[in-house]
């Protein structure tokens, strides 16, 4: 399967068991720490907004 979006890639990764044979979200070794989740939230914050791309203000005459 080819993942075409970030959501598809995340879903594919989360449906597969980790190397320890359990759900990655439940594995104490593989699950994300709160600081990792915070870092990812900051990195991908721009994808969660619904605003259009900012356009520069017109130049003063």
């Amino acid at each position: 399967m080819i993942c075409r979006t970030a959501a598809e890639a995340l879903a594919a990764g989360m449906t597969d068991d980790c190397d320890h044979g359990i759900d990655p979200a439940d594995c104490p070794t593989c699950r994300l720490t709160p600081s990792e989740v915070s870092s990812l939230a900051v990195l991908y914050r721009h994808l969660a907004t619904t605003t259009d791309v900012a356009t520069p203000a017109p130049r003063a005459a």
Side-chain angles (χ1 to χ4, degrees):
M1 176 180 158
I2 297 174
C3 300
R4 294 183 181 5
T5 66
E8 287 177 355
L10 180 62
M14 292 306 290
T15 57
D16 195 16
D17 287 343
C18 72
D19 291 339
H20 304 104
I22 58 176
D23 185 346
D26 295 332
C27 181
T29 304
C30 296
R31 69 177 170 220
L32 295 174
T33 64
S35 63
E36 290 171 326
V37 172
S38 297
S39 296
L40 289 171
V42 170
L43 286 173
Y44 294 106
R45 176 179 46 211
H46 69 283
L47 297 175
T49 61
T50 59
T51 59
D52 292 335
V53 175
T55 56
R59 295 178 60 177

